[in-house]
Amino acid sequence: MAFNHLPAGVHDALAPLSVTPVTHSVPMAKNHRSDRSPTDPATRLTPGAVLNRLASGPSRAVRITHTEHLPPRAGRHAVWPAEIRPEVVAAVQACGIEHPWAHQARAAEHALDGDSVVVATGTASGKSLAYLVPVLSTLLEGSEAPNGRGATALYLAPTKALAADQCRAVRDLARPLGSSVRAAVYDGDTPVEEREWIRQYANYVLTNPDMLHRGILPSHPRWSSFLRALKYVVIDECHTYRGVFGSHVAQVLRRLRRLCARYGASPVFLLASATAAQPSVAARRLTGLPVVEVADDASPRGELVFALWEPPLTELQGEKGAPVRRTATAETADLLTDLTLQGVRSVAFVRSRRGAELISVIAQERLAEIERPLAGRVAAYRGGYLPEERRALERALHSGELLGLAATTALELGVDVSGLDAVLIAGYPGTRASL
């Protein structure tokens, strides 16, 4: 049994600065391939074993104030709708996925029937594949049009990191389809010389609501060929569009629908979220359309252990002699160092850019004293980096070159890191959805 997911986290509820390690792992399902080799030591660790190792140091066991354990869950398979092109099914199978989960097949069926749909299943349940398969099948059919662009699709992500990650996933999945699927990211980081090619030739454009509002809709005559053939609009992590920002995005989407109608198109909206409380209601408010809800999660889930970790008291005293606890930053750096030494691939989420940099520097210094080569396998990820620097870090984390990453929420939403073992959350992130 291979364990390819073990999150850990850091919480802020029990003390002004407390720490929450969470660990979980997923047994390798029959329709997924692992990035790990059988000899990788981390594949032999259970979630409980990882947590026990973290708590084995002096006075560490008492820092765990609460744990939650979720047992494994088996998955339920189905078959893709008959309308899906066999070339797309073959491309999915070439990635090691023999059969879809039941919720993936159901979402694809609604999409092909022209129903807008929201997939509201758990994290790592395969929501991306649920909308990608019908989209790729439609794009493949559109590539047979005389102009080679009989169908297009638009993908909206809340962060640049997620759009870049999804673009990589689409290109990997669609590689057997050749030039029929031309995916490209169109955001503020896109070089000027590439933008004209994207407008004229790309049939799967990945962007964000801000770029849609400022860079695409005002220039709709230049995007007319794309909008005229628009079949699908994918809205990933749709739960992030709430409050005032959500109302703004809702108006942008209504403007998009009006412009599509002007050019004779009526796209189907495909939404995805792991944490929406009322998925169909939220999706309907966001898009202005009736939306079918697919919320029955048929994917398997491995054993999961979630633990609250409280930093210890120090000898320092605060106001009126109040005891002072060790900072969450220092505690998270210790945990990230320990996880890296165990060969456990980890991400530590921190609430500030300075905190992310500080945790990575502390972990690197301590690793250099113990096992110098490991110091180069820990890094920081935050907003403010150059686009090429962010993409390089994302590739290194995905490939396993990086074992530890201290990141802000710039990396938080939906980034698919195959083989990730642990997540540390330094401080309560503010909402249950973010947690």
Side-chain angles (χ1 to χ4, degrees):
M1 180 177 294
F3 297 93
N4 66 338
H5 289 279
L6 298 164
V10 189
H11 190 56
D12 207 351
L14 304 176
L17 287 173
S18 55
V19 187
T20 330
V22 179
T23 43
H24 93 285
S25 64
V26 175
M28 190 56 57
K30 292 181 180 179
N31 65 336
H32 289 280
R33 295 190 300 194
S34 173
D35 289 343
R36 296 182 182 276
S37 65
T39 58
D40 189 335
T43 63
R44 297 192 294 270
L45 295 178
T46 64
V50 173
L51 187 58
N52 288 338
R53 288 191 178 188
L54 291 176
S56 62
S59 73
R60 273 194 164 190
V62 297
R63 303 182 195 180
I64 299 176
T65 60
H66 181 75
T67 59
E68 289 285 340
H69 178 269
L70 296 179
R73 178 185 65 199
R76 290 180 283 113
H77 288 293
V79 294
W80 291 114
E83 296 86 353
I84 299 295
R85 292 284 293 260
E87 299 95 323
V88 175
V89 175
V92 172
Q93 291 175 343
C95 292
I97 303 172
E98 298 296 333
H99 304 286
W101 307 124
H103 66 272
Q104 292 175 325
R106 184 183 170 202
E109 186 175 358
H110 282 299
L112 292 171
D113 289 342
D115 300 326
S116 293
V117 59
V118 55
V119 185
T121 54
T123 301
S125 60
K127 294 184 292 296
S128 298
L129 197 65
Y131 58 73
L132 265 180
V133 166
V135 168
L136 293 181
S137 182
T138 302
L139 295 181
L140 185 60
E141 291 183 357
S143 67
E144 298 170 355
N147 65 352
R149 206 190 195 192
T152 60
L154 181 68
Y155 173 93
L156 297 179
T159 65
K160 293 179 180 179
L162 179 55
D165 182 72
Q166 283 293 307
C167 187
R168 177 197 55 77
V170 171
R171 288 173 176 173
D172 289 345
L173 181 61
R175 188 170 288 113
L177 305 179
S179 60
S180 300
V181 177
R182 299 178 295 279
V185 175
Y186 189 85
D187 59 24
D189 295 338
T190 305
V192 176
E193 58 271 17
E194 292 182 15
R195 299 189 179 191
E196 185 62 30
W197 181 92
I198 294 172
R199 282 191 288 266
Q200 294 186 14
Y201 302 107
N203 56 6
Y204 191 80
V205 173
L206 301 95
T207 186
N208 54 69
D210 293 315
M211 197 66 178
L212 175 64
H213 173 59
R214 295 178 62 91
I216 296 179
L217 299 184
S219 306
H220 62 87
R222 304 178 68 185
W223 287 86
S224 58
S225 64
F226 180 88
L227 296 173
R228 186 176 293 112
L230 190 61
K231 303 296 183 185
Y232 291 108
V233 177
V234 178
I235 305 177
D236 208 353
E237 304 291 344
C238 63
H239 63 273
T240 60
Y241 306 119
R242 63 180 189 272
V244 175
F245 177 55
S247 68
H248 291 173
V249 175
Q251 297 305 318
V252 171
L253 294 178
R254 282 158 175 76
R255 184 184 181 195
L256 171 65
R257 288 174 50 208
R258 290 196 300 270
L259 286 172
C260 287
R262 171 179 176 175
Y263 292 107
S266 180
V268 173
F269 284 75
L270 307 178
L271 302 94
S273 172
T275 55
Q278 295 179 300
S280 60
V281 174
R284 183 172 66 250
R285 290 173 178 169
L286 187 62
T287 62
L289 295 169
V291 180
V292 178
E293 179 180 315
V294 175
D296 183 15
D297 193 343
S299 65
R301 182 185 63 203
E303 180 186 10
L304 182 146
V305 177
F306 180 97
L308 299 181
W309 184 289
E310 189 174 41
L313 294 171
T314 66
E315 297 178 355
L316 301 176
Q317 292 184 344
E319 186 177 358
K320 295 183 179 181
V324 176
R325 292 191 179 274
R326 193 166 185 246
T327 66
T329 299
E331 200 77 352
T332 304
D334 280 355
L335 293 172
L336 186 61
T337 301
D338 291 349
L339 289 169
T340 303
L341 287 170
Q342 293 183 40
V344 176
R345 290 169 62 181
S346 313
V347 172
F349 283 117
V350 195
R351 286 184 287 183
S352 69
R353 296 181 179 185
R354 182 177 179 273
E357 293 283 359
L358 187 58
I359 287 173
S360 68
V361 168
I362 294 173
Q364 288 169 356
E365 290 177 349
R366 292 176 180 171
L367 288 168
E369 297 173 358
I370 302 169
E371 192 171 344
R372 181 168 294 276
L374 288 178
R377 301 185 69 182
V378 173
Y381 184 104
R382 59 173 177 79
Y385 285 175
L386 294 174
E388 51 269 26
E389 292 175 323
R390 292 199 301 269
R391 300 297 92 81
L393 286 169
E394 292 160 12
R395 287 193 300 268
L397 182 62
H398 186 270
S399 67
E401 180 183 347
L402 278 179
L403 274 177
L405 189 67
T408 63
T409 53
L411 189 71
E412 179 179 3
L413 292 169
V415 175
D416 179 18
V417 184
S418 178
L420 186 65
D421 298 315
V423 175
L424 297 164
I425 306 174
Y428 184 63
T431 65
R432 286 183 296 171
S434 294
L435 180 63

